[in-house]
């Protein structure tokens, strides 16, 4: 038994593309935040306040998207 949604190839392609894109974007953003926090590979050293600010913006953006999507 297949539902009507399973027959929409364009919907599945868009969903897969969006999911993979969001996972890779989050991964690279989170990696950059850790590099900034540790500071061993940058010339500026540890950037703790910038990292904290970046995480706060990321959390607020996720919460705003959730509220907007409801």
């Amino acid at each position: 038994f297949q539902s009507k949604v399973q027959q929409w190839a364009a919907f599945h392609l868009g969903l897969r593309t969006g999911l993979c894109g969001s996972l890779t974007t989050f991964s690279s953003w989170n990696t950059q935040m850790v590099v900034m926090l540790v500071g061993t590979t940058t010339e500026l050293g540890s950037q703790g306040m910038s990292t904290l600010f970046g995480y706060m913006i990321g959390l607020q953006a996720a919460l705003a998207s959730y509220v907007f999507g409801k």
Side-chain angles (χ1 to χ4, degrees):
F1 174 73
Q2 287 187 345
S3 71
K4 292 181 183 180
V5 176
Q6 291 175 331
Q7 298 171 1
W8 298 341
F11 176 75
H12 282 264
L13 178 63
L15 189 62
R16 287 190 306 249
T17 303
L19 178 64
C20 291
S22 67
L23 290 176
T24 57
T25 300
F26 175 75
S27 176
S28 62
W29 174 76
N30 201 29
T31 301
Q32 183 61 37
M33 289 290 116
V34 171
V35 167
M36 286 174 61
L37 183 63
V38 173
T40 57
T41 59
T42 62
E43 296 175 1
L44 300 173
S46 179
Q47 301 171 357
M49 290 304 290
S50 297
T51 305
L52 180 62
F53 186 65
Y55 274 122
M56 286 180 10
I57 288 176
L59 180 62
Q60 288 183 355
L63 289 174
S65 298
Y66 176 72
V67 169
F68 182 72
K70 277 179 110 174

